[in-house]
Protein backbone atom coordinates (compact mmCIF):
# COMPACT_ATOMS: atom_id res chain seq x y z
CA UNK A 1 0.00 0.00 0.00
CA UNK A 2 1.33 3.43 -0.89
CA UNK A 3 0.46 6.72 0.83
CA UNK A 4 -0.21 9.63 -1.49
CA UNK A 5 0.70 13.15 -0.42
CA UNK A 6 -1.34 15.73 -2.31
CA UNK A 7 1.25 18.44 -1.67
CA UNK A 8 4.20 16.56 -3.11
CA UNK A 9 7.55 15.76 -1.57
CA UNK A 10 8.66 19.42 -1.26
CA UNK A 11 5.42 20.27 0.56
CA UNK A 12 5.93 17.43 3.02
CA UNK A 13 9.46 18.62 3.79
CA UNK A 14 8.13 22.14 4.43
CA UNK A 15 5.41 20.80 6.75
CA UNK A 16 7.99 18.79 8.70
CA UNK A 17 10.30 21.80 9.01
CA UNK A 18 7.50 24.07 10.19
CA UNK A 19 6.42 21.44 12.74
CA UNK A 20 9.98 21.07 14.05
CA UNK A 21 10.41 24.83 14.41
CA UNK A 22 7.07 25.11 16.23
CA UNK A 23 8.05 22.39 18.71
CA UNK A 24 11.41 23.99 19.42
CA UNK A 25 9.72 27.36 19.94
CA UNK A 26 7.14 25.86 22.29
CA UNK A 27 9.85 24.14 24.31
CA UNK A 28 11.56 27.48 24.82
CA UNK A 29 8.41 28.91 26.43
CA UNK A 30 8.18 26.37 29.22
CA UNK A 31 9.66 26.70 32.68
CA UNK A 32 11.60 24.15 34.62
CA UNK A 33 9.11 24.14 37.47
CA UNK A 34 11.87 23.87 40.06
CA UNK A 35 15.02 25.70 40.88
CA UNK A 36 16.76 22.56 42.08
CA UNK A 37 16.61 23.51 45.76
CA UNK A 38 12.96 22.71 46.42
CA UNK A 39 11.75 26.19 45.65
CA UNK A 40 9.42 25.47 42.76
CA UNK A 41 10.40 28.77 41.23
CA UNK A 42 9.65 29.38 37.57
CA UNK A 43 12.71 29.59 35.38
CA UNK A 44 11.42 32.35 33.12
CA UNK A 45 12.93 35.80 33.09
CA UNK A 46 9.76 37.19 34.70
CA UNK A 47 9.35 34.60 37.43
CA UNK A 48 7.15 35.41 40.41
CA UNK A 49 9.15 37.73 42.65
CA UNK A 50 8.31 40.47 45.14
CA UNK A 51 10.34 43.32 46.62
CA UNK A 52 9.92 44.35 50.25
CA UNK A 53 12.13 46.84 52.11
CA UNK A 54 14.92 46.57 49.56
CA UNK A 55 15.00 42.75 49.51
CA UNK A 56 13.93 40.54 46.62
CA UNK A 57 11.93 37.41 47.41
CA UNK A 58 11.06 34.44 45.21
CA UNK A 59 8.16 32.01 45.34
CA UNK A 60 8.50 28.86 47.44
CA UNK A 61 5.89 26.14 47.04
CA UNK A 62 4.85 23.00 48.90
CA UNK A 63 5.80 24.33 52.35
CA UNK A 64 3.67 24.47 55.49
CA UNK A 65 3.97 27.82 57.26
CA UNK A 66 1.96 30.11 59.52
CA UNK A 67 1.10 33.64 58.43
CA UNK A 68 1.87 36.31 61.02
CA UNK A 69 1.05 39.99 61.26
CA UNK A 70 0.49 42.31 58.32
CA UNK A 71 3.72 44.09 57.37
CA UNK A 72 2.71 46.43 54.57
CA UNK A 73 2.82 46.63 50.80
CA UNK A 74 5.14 44.69 48.51
CA UNK A 75 5.91 45.54 44.91
CA UNK A 76 6.37 43.22 42.00
CA UNK A 77 9.16 44.53 39.81
CA UNK A 78 8.06 45.40 36.30
CA UNK A 79 9.20 42.94 33.69
CA UNK A 80 9.95 43.13 30.00
CA UNK A 81 10.80 39.58 28.94
CA UNK A 82 10.20 40.41 25.27
CA UNK A 83 12.31 43.54 24.68
CA UNK A 84 11.80 43.55 20.92
CA UNK A 85 7.99 43.29 20.98
CA UNK A 86 7.54 46.94 19.95
CA UNK A 87 6.50 48.21 23.37
CA UNK A 88 8.77 50.89 24.81
CA UNK A 89 7.86 50.34 28.47
CA UNK A 90 7.60 47.11 30.49
CA UNK A 91 4.29 46.29 32.14
CA UNK A 92 3.60 48.31 35.29
CA UNK A 93 4.57 46.79 38.62
CA UNK A 94 1.93 45.02 40.71
CA UNK A 95 1.37 45.53 44.42
CA UNK A 96 0.12 43.20 47.14
CA UNK A 97 0.22 42.77 50.90
CA UNK A 98 3.17 41.34 52.83
CA UNK A 99 2.75 39.33 56.02
CA UNK A 100 5.31 38.04 58.50
CA UNK A 101 5.97 34.30 58.57
CA UNK A 102 5.78 32.88 62.10
CA UNK A 103 9.24 31.90 63.32
CA UNK A 104 11.16 33.60 60.48
CA UNK A 105 12.70 37.03 60.21
CA UNK A 106 11.52 39.21 57.32
CA UNK A 107 15.11 39.18 56.04
CA UNK A 108 14.57 35.46 55.40
CA UNK A 109 10.97 35.07 54.22
CA UNK A 110 7.60 36.79 53.92
CA UNK A 111 4.11 35.70 52.95
CA UNK A 112 2.37 37.61 50.15
CA UNK A 113 -1.30 37.70 49.24
CA UNK A 114 -4.50 39.74 49.21
CA UNK A 115 -5.52 38.12 52.52
CA UNK A 116 -3.65 36.01 55.10
CA UNK A 117 -5.64 32.97 53.94
CA UNK A 118 -4.48 33.45 50.32
CA UNK A 119 -0.87 34.29 51.17
CA UNK A 120 1.99 32.28 49.63
CA UNK A 121 5.53 31.89 50.94
CA UNK A 122 8.38 33.92 49.42
CA UNK A 123 11.99 33.49 50.50
CA UNK A 124 14.94 35.84 50.23
CA UNK A 125 16.37 35.55 46.74
CA UNK A 126 20.05 35.05 47.55
CA UNK A 127 22.84 34.07 45.17
CA UNK A 128 23.78 31.14 47.40
CA UNK A 129 20.33 29.55 47.21
CA UNK A 130 17.67 29.40 49.88
CA UNK A 131 18.37 30.62 53.40
CA UNK A 132 18.99 27.72 55.85
CA UNK A 133 15.81 28.55 57.79
CA UNK A 134 13.70 28.06 54.64
CA UNK A 135 15.52 24.82 53.81
CA UNK A 136 14.53 23.57 57.26
CA UNK A 137 10.89 24.36 56.47
CA UNK A 138 11.17 22.44 53.20
CA UNK A 139 12.74 19.46 54.93
CA UNK A 140 9.95 19.42 57.50
CA UNK A 141 7.11 19.53 54.95
Amino acid sequence: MRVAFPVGRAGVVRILLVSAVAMVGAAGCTSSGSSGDGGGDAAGSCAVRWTYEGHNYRSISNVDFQVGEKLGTVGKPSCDDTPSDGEDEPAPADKSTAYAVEGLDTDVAIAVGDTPEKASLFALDADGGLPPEVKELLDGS
Side-chain angles (χ1 to χ4, degrees):
M1 178 176 188
R2 186 170 187 173
V3 178
F5 294 102
V7 292
R9 181 171 274 190
V12 171
V13 171
R14 270 182 263 167
I15 290 171
L16 290 174
L17 286 173
V18 169
S19 297
V21 169
M23 289 192 313
V24 168
C29 293
T30 63
S31 67
S32 67
S34 177
S35 62
D37 54 16
D41 187 21
S45 61
C46 292
V48 179
R49 297 186 191 285
W50 292 99
T51 300
Y52 176 71
E53 292 190 345
H55 298 291
N56 292 317
Y57 297 84
R58 65 182 173 130
S59 176
I60 304 296
S61 59
N62 302 319
V63 178
D64 291 327
F65 66 97
Q66 295 293 322
V67 175
E69 67 183 54
K70 182 177 178 179
L71 298 172
T73 303
V74 291
K76 188 182 231 180
S78 62
C79 180
D80 187 8
D81 64 349
T82 54
S84 61
D85 64 358
E87 295 180 18
D88 292 337
E89 295 292 321
D94 291 331
K95 300 223 181 278
S96 192
T97 303
Y99 300 90
V101 175
E102 293 292 330
L104 296 178
D105 189 86
T106 57
D107 288 342
V108 173
I110 59 173
V112 178
D114 293 331
T115 66
E117 296 78 23
K118 293 182 180 181
S120 298
L121 183 66
F122 286 78
L124 183 67
D125 192 7
D127 291 337
L130 293 175
E133 299 91 339
V134 176
K135 287 182 181 180
E136 287 178 26
L137 275 179
L138 287 168
D139 292 341
S141 293

